[in-house]
Amino acid sequence: MSTVHRTRETLDGFREFKLRRSGARRLLAVLILVLDVGGGAPSRGIIARMRAIIDRWKDDHRFLSGTDDDPMAAMHAPSDVVVIGRCDSTGRSATGTSM
């Protein structure tokens, strides 16, 4: 199956997680997810993690968060790296390490 077909399947799968399925940034986010897993369909867990990242960013920055953040959330979703921690005004996390 082609990357285009996997991208369409993944867009359809976004419905389950109540993620919008239209717009260039959402399409770019889906393409990033598909390419990150080697052209296959990303797992439900990866899509759920992307949703969790977006939700956390909206909780912290409701007035700044939007669909333009979707590609960045897609880049972080397949990783085990914590990207939803809080930083102070110096850019340091609660543990004193840079985020």
Side-chain angles (χ1 to χ4, degrees):
M1 194 171 275
S2 72
T3 301
V4 172
H5 288 101
R6 293 291 187 205
T7 301
R8 287 183 184 157
E9 283 180 358
T10 303
L11 268 174
D12 290 341
F14 271 31
R15 182 177 306 163
E16 177 183 351
F17 296 95
K18 296 185 171 119
L19 291 165
R20 287 186 44 191
R21 296 174 299 131
S22 62
R25 289 186 178 101
R26 185 66 66 172
L27 184 59
L28 178 58
V30 170
L31 184 59
I32 289 168
L33 291 175
V34 169
L35 292 175
D36 193 72
V37 296
S43 69
R44 292 179 72 247
I46 289 174
I47 298 171
R49 180 169 159 79
M50 180 181 158
R51 179 66 204 213
I53 290 168
I54 290 169
D55 288 346
R56 180 58 186 267
W57 287 347
K58 283 183 181 180
D59 286 347
D60 286 347
H61 307 288
R62 179 160 294 286
F63 55 94
L64 293 175
S65 298
T67 57
D68 55 329
D69 296 317
D70 295 349
M72 185 60 71
M75 284 188 248
H76 289 296
S79 168
D80 292 337
V81 175
V82 176
V83 295
I84 54 177
R86 293 184 181 261
C87 294
D88 64 18
S89 61
T90 66
R92 298 206 172 268
S93 71
T95 60
T97 59
S98 267
M99 294 297 273

